[in-house]
Structure formats: C-alpha cells, structure tokens
Amino acid sequence: MKKRIAAGAIILAISSGCAAESGQEEAAETAEVSIAAASDLNPAFQALKDEFEAETGVELTFSFGSTGQLADQIENGAPFDVFASANVSFIDHLIETDDIIEESAQPYAFGRIGLMMKEENTGAAENIADLTSAEIEQLSIANPAHAPYGMAAEEALKASGLYADVENKLVYGRNITDAFTHIETGNADAGIIAYSLGIANEDGYDFILLDEELHEPIEQVIGVTSQADHPEEAQLFIDYITDGSGKETMEAYGFIVPEEES
C-alpha cells in the first residue's frame, strides 16, 4: 500500500510538474508586451508587428503619442513594458526617476525630417527657404513643447533664419502624426514631418528631406520600464529592432539604426 501511495505521489508530482511547465510555456507564448511609442514609429512598428509575433509568440500592443506626453504617463505609473522615445532626454529623465531600467536603455534609431505637401501643392515649396512664400499660408509641425520632431522642425526654421517670417503660419499638431493629419485634411499647405511618415504616405504627397545639420540629431532611445510585467519579452522586442529582423524594417522606413557597440 505504501509503495502504491509513493508511486502515486511520484506520478502526481510528475504530472503536476508537467502541467506547471506546460502552463508556464503557455503563459510565455501568450505574453503581451505593451509599448509606449513616439508617433513617428507608427508605420514601422505596425509593419514589423506580425513578423515579431510569429517569430517569438509574444503579442504586442502599441500606444502612440508625443514622447513628452508618454513620458509623463510613465512617470505617473502608466502600465507600459517598453518606452520607445523620439529623444534621449526623456529616457534620461525617466532613468533619474527610476521609471526606466538604466541597463536596458539604448539608442535604436536616428530620425530625419523633411518638407511634406500634397502633390496638388507641388512647387509651392521646393526647399525650406520657400516656406516664406505666400503660397504657403499654413505650415504644420508637431508641438515642440513635448514632441521631439516638433523641436527639430523649430530648430531647422531658426537655423535657416526663417522662424520669424513663418511663425504666424505655424499650425501645431499634438504629435507628428497629428501634424501630418493637418496636411492630409488641407488644414495646412505644407509641414515639416518625420521621414518615416513621408515614406509611409508616398502616394499623393511630395517629401523633401531636409539637411540634418539644421537641427540637433534626433537620437531615439528605447528602454524597459521599471514596472514592466514582462521585462524579458520587452527586452526581446528591443533586441529585435536593433539587431534582429526588425532592423531591416526600421531602415526601410528611413531610420538610421546605430550599430551595436562591441
């Protein structure tokens, strides 16, 4: 009888162990990583989502917005696993407040900006100097108060000596996607927009890349949040876009992906 009980206990233990292991595997397969991402990343991240999920078994959910506003949400406890910012300064601040794991933070892309307008407005502006033209009545940029691409646009206008001449034309979007929407809906004749959005919206639009020396480098940094529910899977996503298959997708959308330091 004792032998039977012992054997039964062993079988039960093995069975329970297998069930627990199976449950862990199932949980890993269905882990959902929540990513707060700057708006310029929308086209690229949506394009690589299916491949990443198929390759890893990890589901992705995105919340796109201006970097500054997303940083505020994370600092106030928003339950994101990853923060993909469009400017290093916001990640640095969140490291100081212990909201981003410092060891996880790394540059993942350098962005570019350019002039964008509908094809029907082609010729109204062929370079940044043409933005003073009477044909450009409204110029859309992201709000520089919290959107890094808006900061870069403002810097480019000031570096070109044009800011005072076009300031009264400026229409501000909450983020870079919102700035593009102003062009799309005709509420702006042109805009200074992220290169990634120019690539994603080629049909019906003209995009003119601006000299990157007109603004500070748009160094985009990503990191795992301190409150992440799935830190390992979060790091898996970071590795995917910086050194995995997702790197090609990022580059296809105009991002310069820095080489991994040896």
Side-chain angles (χ1 to χ4, degrees):
M1 180 66 71
K2 288 183 180 180
K3 289 183 179 180
R4 287 186 181 179
I5 293 174
I10 291 171
I11 292 170
L12 179 61
I14 292 173
S15 177
S16 298
C18 290
E21 185 177 347
S22 175
Q24 289 171 358
E25 289 177 357
E26 185 176 350
E29 289 174 359
T30 58
E32 184 175 294
V33 173
S34 178
I35 300 171
S39 291
D40 64 295
L41 297 166
N42 194 327
F45 277 14
Q46 295 289 6
L48 60 77
K49 181 179 187 292
D50 289 346
E51 183 179 343
F52 174 83
E53 291 180 341
E55 186 174 311
T56 65
V58 177
E59 294 182 4
L60 300 177
T61 60
F62 299 120
S63 294
F64 296 103
S66 73
T67 292
Q69 291 177 334
L70 291 172
D72 286 344
Q73 291 176 31
I74 290 169
E75 191 171 358
N76 286 299
F80 297 114
D81 295 297
V82 175
F83 180 33
S85 84
N87 187 288
V88 60
S89 64
F90 292 94
I91 290 284
D92 287 343
H93 174 73
L94 291 176
I95 289 173
E96 291 176 2
T97 59
D98 294 326
D99 290 299
I100 291 289
I101 300 171
E102 183 172 7
E103 295 75 16
S104 72
Q106 67 179 91
Y108 66 96
F110 285 89
R112 298 288 304 276
I113 57 173
L115 299 179
M116 191 172 188
M117 64 201 77
K118 286 185 174 181
E119 285 182 351
E120 62 197 56
N121 292 329
T122 298
E126 297 181 358
N127 54 59
I128 194 168
D130 291 340
L131 294 177
T132 59
S133 165
E135 293 184 68
I136 304 296
E137 296 182 1
Q138 286 130 350
L139 175 65
S140 178
I141 68 172
N143 191 331
H146 49 72
Y149 277 84
M151 296 178 198
E154 187 175 77
E155 289 172 6
L157 291 170
K158 290 179 177 179
S160 302
L162 304 172
Y163 187 76
D165 294 325
V166 302
E167 185 177 9
N168 63 342
K169 299 182 178 185
L170 294 177
V171 179
Y172 296 103
R174 291 166 298 176
N175 51 59
I176 200 63
T177 301
D178 200 31
F180 166 72
T181 300
H182 288 319
I183 303 169
E184 184 180 35
T185 58
N187 290 317
D189 303 301
I192 300 180
I193 303 297
Y195 188 23
S196 59
L197 296 182
I199 291 174
N201 298 279
E202 292 180 322
D203 293 341
Y205 296 89
D206 282 339
F207 186 89
I208 303 167
L209 199 62
L210 293 182
D211 187 343
E212 58 189 321
E213 293 184 3
L214 291 174
H215 58 84
E216 291 294 317
I218 307 174
E219 182 181 8
Q220 307 199 192
V221 179
I222 194 168
V224 179
T225 67
S226 301
Q227 66 268 28
D229 290 328
H230 304 288
E232 292 183 4
E233 289 84 358
Q235 186 61 52
L236 193 64
F237 176 76
I238 293 175
D239 294 341
Y240 182 80
I241 65 170
T242 56
D243 197 39
S245 304
K247 180 179 178 180
E248 292 182 6
T249 302
M250 295 294 290
E251 291 172 339
Y253 280 88
F255 293 103
I256 301 168
V257 180
E259 295 296 326
E260 188 177 5
E261 294 182 4
S262 56

